Every structure is written in structure tokens, then in C-alpha cells.
């Protein structure tokens, strides 16, 4: 659609919609980045899983000492509360796949955010131009 053919009221409504959409997309991007960071931390933890003595979390702030019987076997959450047993290398590979998928999704969302920002800039410029034209016409 050509922004020049729209009224200032229509442009203002579109501007509001674009701003709301950008806010949601930015939030989604931050959530993807947070999930990727968690997978990176999990992969790092798997790489450092040599020690047999570990601290086991009971709550977010309470840990108890524990001992790994088989440090080469790990449980990996594959989603919605389902776990599978994998080797350490299998767990690292799983984290790598998830991080790659999240990176690809982040790239897609980032590109879409950039497109929406450009569209918003165009709408704002056109709206400002139309408002100036209206003010010039009333003077």
C-alpha cells in the first residue's frame, strides 16, 4: 500500500500497530536470546562434567553435595517435561542443534524487526509530511 494515499488518521493507526508489533517482536527476540544462553550454559556444564563430586540443586538457592556414578550419562529435557538419557557428547550435540536452531530463528526475527522499523520510519515520515501540509493549508 502507498502511504501517501492514506489520511493522517490512518497513518497514525498504522504507526500504533507497527509500534506494538515491534515491541512484541523485540520481546520474542529477547526470549530467543535467553533460551540460547541457557543452552550455551548447559553445553559448557556438560564439557566440565569431569568431576564426580557435584552440588545438586534442591531449590534456586539450596544445594547439597552429590556424587556422579556415571558422568558420561546425562538426562536431557527434550521438551514439555520429557527427558531422554544421552551420553555427554550426545547432550552437547543436542545443545548445539538447539543453539543453531535458535540462532536461525533469531536471525529471522531480527530481519523482520529491521523491515518493520523501516516501514515504521516511512509511516512516521509520511505522517509528519501530511501534518505539515495540513498546517500549511490552514494558515
Amino acid at each position: 500500500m502507498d502511504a501517501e494515499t492514506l489520511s493522517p488518521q490512518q497513518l497514525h493507526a498504522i504507526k500504533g500497530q507497527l509500534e506494538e508489533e515491534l515491541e512484541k517482536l523485540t520481546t520474542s527476540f529477547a526470549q530467543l536470546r535467553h533460551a540460547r544462553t541457557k543452552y550455551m550454559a548447559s553445553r559448557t556444564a556438560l564439557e566440565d562434567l569431569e568431576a564426580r563430586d557435584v552440588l545438586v540443586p534442591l531449590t534456586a538457592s539450596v544445594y547439597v553435595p552429590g556424587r556422579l556414578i556415571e558422568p558420561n550419562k546425562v538426562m536431557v529435557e527434550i521438551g514439555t517435561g520429557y527427558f531422554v538419557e544421552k551420553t555427554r557428547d550426545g547432550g552437547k550435540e543436542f545443545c548445539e542443534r538447539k543453539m543453531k536452531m535458535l540462532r536461525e530463528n533469531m536471525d529471522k526475527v531480527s530481519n523482520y524487526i529491521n523491515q518493520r522499523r523501516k516501514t515504521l520510519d516511512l509511516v512516521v515520515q509520511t505522517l509528519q509530511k501530511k501534518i505539515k501540509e495540513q498546517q500549511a493549508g490552514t494558515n
Side-chain angles (χ1 to χ4, degrees), residues 27-79:
T27 300
S28 294
F29 184 83
Q31 290 170 341
L32 289 169
R33 185 174 47 225
H34 180 70
R36 188 168 186 271
T37 301
K38 283 189 164 207
Y39 277 110
M40 290 171 82
S42 295
R43 182 195 61 201
T44 301
L46 287 169
E47 290 170 355
D48 297 338
L49 198 59
E50 295 295 326
R52 290 193 177 266
D53 293 323
V54 295
L55 290 175
V56 180
L58 293 180
T59 67
S61 60
V62 177
Y63 292 81
V64 295
R67 188 166 194 79
L68 295 174
I69 297 170
E70 294 187 50
N72 196 39
K73 290 186 181 177
V74 296
M75 296 298 289
V76 176
E77 183 179 5
I78 58 172

Side-chain angles (χ1 to χ4, degrees), residues 6 28 51 67 86 98 100 111 137:
L6 300 174
S28 294
R67 188 166 194 79
K86 290 190 174 278
K98 286 293 193 174
K100 181 182 177 199
N111 289 336

Side-chain angles (χ1 to χ4, degrees), residues 44-122:
T44 301
L46 287 169
E47 290 170 355
D48 297 338
L49 198 59
E50 295 295 326
R52 290 193 177 266
D53 293 323
V54 295
L55 290 175
V56 180
L58 293 180
T59 67
S61 60
V62 177
Y63 292 81
V64 295
R67 188 166 194 79
L68 295 174
I69 297 170
E70 294 187 50
N72 196 39
K73 290 186 181 177
V74 296
M75 296 298 289
V76 176
E77 183 179 5
I78 58 172
T80 62
Y82 288 96
F83 291 83
V84 295
E85 186 177 291
K86 290 190 174 278
T87 63
R88 261 187 21 205
D89 288 339
K92 286 191 273 188
E93 183 182 299
F94 177 81
C95 289
E96 291 290 337
R97 280 195 324 267
K98 286 293 193 174
M99 288 187 314
K100 181 182 177 199
M101 178 202 64
L102 288 166
R103 178 80 250 166
E104 290 168 356
N105 287 339
M106 286 170 63
D107 289 344
K108 288 177 187 176
V109 171
S110 178
N111 289 336
Y112 196 67
I113 287 172
N114 290 335
Q115 290 173 357
R116 288 321 223 182
R117 281 191 178 136
K118 288 177 185 176
T119 303
L120 178 62
D121 289 344
L122 176 68

